[in-house]
């Protein structure tokens, strides 16, 4: 058996290869802080491997582990000169879970373990502080009964609230020793009533109970949900940390706090945090008392009146500031820190790389390069491309009048509007119906995670910048306003009040997580742009990446947006969207429904100028860059009239009866349109359609040329090819039109002809198909559908079952199936290149904006990816990361 327990000062831990995998993040960093010479209360870590053993051993701790716990406990006793369960100088410990990465779904920490009816009296004597001893004991009973014995936490809170009401006080700190004495009796009675057992007095039983509970919590619903949402494997397991207690609740020279070494919301390089005097553990984040700021500056900025730590505890603050700098220099990253001050002595209880908004991540990375802490490569690697999404999302339109009804803390930036809901379940339900919601809660807890995920934004009445709501929202990239004390929520009436305004469930509000404002109704938003730190990171990314990044666009506006975001061309310009315009759809319908070639041609003649104008606009925006234009692809019935009035209109225009039109529509009906008369099959049956489109494309180029405008470089793409002959015939058609236009205008046209690879046969036959193709563009949406034989539109019905049963890790329409679909891409690429070594290869499915798929494209040696305009910066960064990870 490998080593199962490491004490925090165990030197051999330093040499462990995957420290965090074995010790968990919390345990690994507690040891590392100790080795840096920082004050860490002694303790030990039971490894994540034991979690595995625990489940293999019928959810019991193996004997060897039990023995090791005994001896490590002795070690703590020696270092603290206290004894566990002792009646003179009792040692108290905390039991803390700690997975590889911080996981809100895990068991809550238990503090003050080792107290019972007798040791509490010795603690009182030893510290001459009865109030502190009793306060600690009642906290322990609450926490242990809740997380180990399963008594609902609010039952204890209610006992306290009722007691305070009778006594006529507001705060827990107003209760004295005898008050707690009484409540302790009530608490124990409550446990007896709820669980039919006496609250455990044996300290060893307490300790093992808590350790077991940590391991059991790995399998809790909360933890499982969190893992599923965040794609964390079930086999990782959690570690357990047992640590000597230090006390922030012993008086006014004591405190507890949380802090970041930089501002996690803006990235500003100044300490940022909150603390509470005479308090313990989670008091700071629980939102029951309002915490004070760490620095004078933050206090001033927020307009708070309570003294900052810098003012209230200047000496300890100075020490803390030194620790912050030391930690940043060591970890070379912004740290999220938990500390406690006991009688003016600072103790470090946790450090980890802090969660931050995308905006902060970028600023911190760029700043740290300038501070020479990290390299540019490292800066690029640090930013999660998917989070850039939040920066590319709209912000509130400043010019619009707003009805601000309340304000709170700007906990997670971004603007969001939606219907007010008061429960996580309701948010999830409405999200399923494609409705935007704002989740409004007094405060959030881990049980609300699914709702926070489903909602567009989160508003809480309580809690600070480090509250659960704030931390989780920032991690998810959800806009959040926390601690808006100006609102009063009534869950029963399903409404909240802000001043005189009453907002009911279902009413629409807008929140701005950047300013903390809450507004009535829907406030319009404006598009963001890339500048400052963001553009610096993008420039660095561009230096490292080899993959080109194009966009999928078929309008002038989208093309412009994409260029502003750095697109290097268009990878997919769908031509059919141009047909849906009101003016054109009649001609399209005439084209499809006409019985004669003449009628069809006259309809096409009407369409051609429209297409030409559209192409001109796009080719101008994409001046000098490649634009892949896909000829008509979807099944024709998508354009057909359904309403009688539309049918009559087409009938009249074609001099046919409505009945004849209806018959023709019936004729065109397909059982399975996705596999029907579409793609290049249309070009084979109705060459005049593709001819018209090619004319429009080439004439657009000619006209721009005449206007002395440098046009885009056109790549004409034939969709849904599965055989060599299809492409051969249609390529000849394109060339024929080009020749005609060259002759008419006495000039030479430069263009490419290629195909989309979206059918398995095409991938397999790449050798022969590439003879006629200047490029392949992998249409991975259809290629995924045809490889799996799954229709994307119907996959929703069983996709979740497939993910639950671990048949799929992720939705193959979101991230490319590298094994199957990926193999086809690899086969087509290498066979295509063998015949035609200069063939250009790209991907134009939705996968082109997914970082994991981009990494795959980079490995496979494609030349470019193409994605929607708003994903372009994501793809630029992901492409650089893919290159750097090679
Ligand atoms: P989480 O993973 O939820 O952050 P922690 O294990 O960090 O849980 O514990 C939460 C808080 O409990 C800490 O921030 C700290 O304030 C307090 N705490 C934990 N261990 C100790 C200890 N040994 N002494 C004093 N306070 C502690
Ligand atoms: Mg916690
Ligand atoms: Mg913690």
């Amino acid at each position: 058996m490998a080593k199962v327990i490491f004490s925090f000062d165990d030197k051999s831990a330093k040499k462990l290869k995957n420290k965090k995998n074995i010790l968990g993040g919390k345990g690994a960093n507690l040891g590392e802080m100790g080795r840096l010479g920082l004050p860490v209360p002694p303790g030990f870590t039971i490894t994540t491997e034991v979690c595995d053993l625990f489940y293999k051993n019928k959810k019991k701790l193996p004997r060897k582990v039990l023995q090791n716990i005994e001896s490590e406990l002795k070690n703590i006793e020696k270092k603290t000169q206290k004894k566990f369960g002792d009646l003179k100088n009792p040692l108290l410990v905390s039991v803390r879970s700690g997975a590889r990465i911080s996981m809100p779904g895990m068991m809550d920490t238990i503090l003050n373990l080792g107290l019972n009816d007798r040791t509490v009296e010795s603690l009182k004597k030893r510290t001459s502080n009865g109030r502190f001893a009793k306060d600690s004991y009642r906290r322990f009973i609450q926490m242990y009964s809740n997380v180990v014995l399963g008594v609902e936490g609010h039952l204890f809170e209610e006992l306290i609230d009722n007691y305070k009401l009778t006594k006529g006080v507001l705060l827990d700190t107003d209760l004295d020793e005898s008050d707690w004495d009484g409540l302790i009796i009530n608490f124990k009675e409550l446990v007896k009533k709820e669980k039919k057992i006496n609250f455990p007095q044996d300290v060893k039983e307490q300790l093992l109970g808590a350790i077991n509970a940590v391991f059991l919590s790995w399998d809790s619903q909360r933890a499982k949900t969190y893992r599923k949402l965040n794609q964390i494997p079930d086999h990782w397991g959690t570690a357990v940390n047992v640590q000597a207690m230090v006390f922030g609740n012993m008086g006014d020279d004591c405190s507890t706090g949380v802090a970041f070494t930089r501002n996690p919301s803006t990235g500003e390089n100044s300490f940022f945090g909150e603390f509470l005097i005479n308090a313990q553990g989670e008091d700071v984040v629980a939102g029951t008392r309002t915490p004070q700021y760490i620095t004078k500056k933050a206090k001033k900025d927020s307009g708070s009146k309570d003294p900052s730590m810098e003012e209230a505890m200047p000496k300890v603050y100075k020490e803390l500031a030194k620790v912050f700098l030391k930690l940043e220099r060591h970890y070379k990253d912004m740290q999220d820190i938990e500390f406690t001050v006991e009688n003016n002595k600072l103790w470090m209880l946790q450090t980890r790389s802090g969660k931050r908004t995308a905006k902060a991540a970028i600023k911190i990375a760029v700043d740290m390069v300038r501070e020479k802490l990290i390299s540019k490569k490292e800066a690029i690697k640090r930013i999660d491309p998917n989070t850039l999404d939040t920066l590319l999302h709209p912000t509130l339109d400043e010019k619009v009048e707003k009805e601000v009804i309340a304000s709170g803390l700007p906990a997670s930036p971004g603007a969001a509007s939606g219907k007010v809901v008061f429960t996580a379940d309701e948010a999830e339900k409405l999200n399923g119906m494609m409705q935007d919601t704002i989740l409004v809660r007094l405060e959030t807890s881990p049980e609300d995670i699914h709702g926070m995920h489903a909602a567009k934004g989160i508003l809480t009445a309580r809690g600070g910048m480090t509250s659960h709501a704030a931390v989780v929202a920032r991690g998810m990239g959800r806009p959040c306003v926390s601690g808006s004390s100006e609102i009063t929520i009534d869950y029963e009436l399903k409404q909240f009040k802000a001043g005189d305004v009453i907002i009911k469930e279902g009413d629409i509000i807008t929140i701005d997580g950047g300013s903390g404002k809450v507004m009535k109704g829907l406030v319009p938003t404006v598009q963001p742009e890339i500048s400052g730190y963001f553009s610096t990171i993008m420039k660095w990314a561009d230096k490292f990446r080899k993959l080109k990044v194009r966009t999928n666009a078929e309008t002038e506006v989208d093309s412009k947006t994409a260029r502003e975001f750095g697109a290097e061309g268009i990878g997919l310009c769908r031509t059919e969207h141009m047909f849906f315009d009101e003016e054109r759809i009649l001609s399209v319908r005439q084209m499809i429904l006409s019985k004669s070639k003449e009628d069809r041609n006259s309809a096409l003649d009407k369409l051609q100028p429209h297409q030409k104008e559209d192409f001109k606009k796009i080719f101008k925006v994409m001046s000098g860059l490649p634009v892949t234009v896909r000829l008509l692809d979807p099944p024709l019935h998508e354009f057909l009239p359904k309403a009688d009035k539309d049918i009559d209109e087409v009938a009249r225009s074609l001099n046919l009866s409505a009945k004849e039109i209806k018959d023709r529509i019936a004729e065109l009906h397909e059982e399975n349109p996705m596999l029907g008369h579409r793609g290049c099959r249309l070009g084979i049956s109705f060459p005049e359609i593709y001819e018209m489109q090619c004319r429009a494309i080439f004439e657009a180029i000619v006209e721009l040329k005449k206007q002395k405008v440098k046009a885009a470089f056109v790549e004409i793409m034939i969709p849904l090819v599965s055989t060599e002959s299809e492409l051969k015939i249609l390529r000849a058609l394109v060339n024929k039109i080009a020749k005609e236009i060259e002759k008419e205008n006495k000039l030479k046209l430069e263009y490419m002809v290629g195909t989309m690879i979206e059918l398995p046969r095409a991938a397999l036959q790449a050798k022969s198909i590439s003879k006629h193709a200047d490029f392949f563009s992998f249409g991975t949406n259809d290629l995924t559908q045809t490889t799996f034989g799954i229709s994307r539109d119907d996959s929703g019905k069983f996709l979740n079952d497939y993910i639950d049963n671990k048949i799929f890790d992720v939705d193959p329409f979101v991230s490319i199936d590298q094994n199957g679909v990926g193999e086809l891409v690899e086969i087509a690429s290498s066979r295509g290149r063998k015949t035609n070594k200069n063939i250009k290869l790209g991907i134009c499915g939705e996968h082109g904006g997914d970082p994991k798929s981009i990494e795959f494209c980079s490995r496979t040696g494609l030349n470019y990816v193409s994605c929607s305009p708003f994903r372009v910066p994501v793809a630029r960064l992901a492409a650089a990361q893919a290159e750097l990870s090679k």
Side-chain angles (χ1 to χ4, degrees), residues 270-550:
S270 63
F271 307 141
F272 187 83
E274 294 166 334
F275 83 118
L276 268 180
I277 290 177
N278 198 8
Q280 190 175 55
E282 308 265 84
D283 288 2
V284 190
V285 292
T288 37
R289 264 165 77 192
T290 307
Q292 291 152 248
Y293 289 94
I294 300 271
T295 60
K296 250 195 282 194
K297 180 179 178 303
K299 173 197 137 180
K300 223 174 110 204
D301 289 351
S302 73
S304 155
K305 285 192 197 64
D306 304 323
S308 65
M309 184 172 184
E310 197 173 354
E311 295 154 304
M313 300 184 139
K315 256 180 79 186
V316 189
Y317 169 79
K318 270 201 194 118
E319 201 186 335
L320 189 62
K322 272 195 210 135
V323 171
F324 284 176
L325 294 180
K326 197 164 190 175
L327 285 173
E328 267 211 358
R329 265 195 308 262
H330 177 74
Y331 287 102
K332 302 190 188 317
D333 197 6
M334 174 187 80
Q335 297 295 295
D336 170 353
I337 288 160
E338 298 173 10
F339 64 89
T340 282
V341 178
E342 176 181 311
N343 304 133
N344 279 321
K345 163 138 182 61
L346 174 68
W347 291 99
M348 300 306 297
L349 292 172
Q350 192 170 340
T351 189
R352 61 185 160 199
S353 282
K355 287 211 168 75
R356 62 206 79 180
T357 62
K359 184 174 161 201
I362 288 173
K363 175 159 163 52
I364 290 170
V366 173
D367 281 347
M368 285 192 167
V369 170
R370 291 179 181 155
E371 292 160 28
K372 301 208 160 46
L373 270 178
I374 58 173
S375 67
K376 284 181 188 166
K377 282 185 189 172
E378 180 59 31
I380 297 286
K381 283 193 206 159
R382 286 245 173 117
I383 296 160
D384 176 358
N386 280 319
T387 62
L388 296 185
D389 235 18
T390 55
L391 296 179
L392 299 167
H393 279 305
T395 49
L396 290 180
D397 187 347
E398 280 174 23
K399 283 180 255 107
V400 173
E401 187 100 18
K402 303 170 190 75
E403 190 185 343
V404 177
I405 53 172
S407 62
L409 299 170
S412 176
S417 302
K419 288 187 177 168
V420 167
V421 292
F422 293 100
T423 65
D425 289 343
E426 191 65 17
E428 197 170 46
K429 190 178 123 202
L430 290 189
N431 185 46
M433 292 153 58
M434 307 298 282
Q435 297 194 21
D436 294 348
T437 57
I438 304 290
L439 178 61
V440 181
R441 303 278 303 159
L442 270 176
E443 54 199 309
T444 61
S445 70
E447 285 93 68
D448 296 324
I449 297 234
H450 63 290
M452 299 173 75
H453 211 262
K456 285 282 170 297
I458 296 141
L459 168 63
T460 67
R462 287 199 219 143
M465 291 291 286
T466 50
S467 64
H468 180 265
V471 172
V472 174
R474 281 199 293 272
M476 284 178 179
R478 292 281 174 288
C480 172
V481 174
S482 72
S484 174
S485 52
E486 293 163 23
I487 66 170
T488 31
I489 302 177
D490 190 327
Y491 284 140
E492 233 141 74
L493 288 176
K494 295 192 179 166
Q495 64 178 41
F496 75 80
K497 250 180 158 168
D500 300 333
V501 185
I502 293 181
I503 304 283
K504 293 203 151 42
E505 185 180 63
D507 289 351
I508 291 180
I509 60 167
T510 299
I511 61 166
D512 179 4
S515 68
K517 296 264 181 306
V518 182
M519 288 140 286
K520 199 174 160 180
L522 188 132
V523 179
T525 50
V526 286
Q527 297 303 344
E529 52 178 78
I530 297 186
S531 58
Y533 288 95
F534 196 172
S535 81
T536 304
I537 277 284
M538 284 291 124
K539 268 187 221 131
W540 292 347
D542 290 347
K543 267 210 327 232
F544 292 115
R545 78 182 154 92
K546 297 226 170 76
L547 264 183
K548 294 270 178 197
V549 176
R550 299 195 195 176

Side-chain angles (χ1 to χ4, degrees), residues 4 93 122 220 235 261 363 408 462 581 663 666 676 728 790 806:
V4 288
V93 296
S122 358
S220 67
H235 68 81
T261 52
K363 175 159 163 52
R462 287 199 219 143
D581 194 282
D663 289 346
K728 196 172 161 191
I790 290 176
K806 302 198 168 71

Side-chain angles (χ1 to χ4, degrees), residues 17 31 39 97 124 366 497 528 562 593 628 767 769 780 813 836:
K17 252 223 206 91
S97 62
K124 169 182 168 179
V366 173
K497 250 180 158 168
L593 294 167
T628 307
K767 191 173 147 208
I769 291 175
T780 49
F813 292 104
N836 177 356

Side-chain angles (χ1 to χ4, degrees), residues 26 41 94 96-97 109 111 243-247 256 258 280-282 338-340 349-350 352:
K26 201 180 284 167
S94 65
R96 320 170 62 184
S97 62
T109 291
L111 304 176
Q243 184 176 33
M245 282 299 299
V246 289
F247 300 102
T256 178
V258 295
Q280 190 175 55
E282 308 265 84
E338 298 173 10
F339 64 89
T340 282
L349 292 172
Q350 192 170 340
R352 61 185 160 199

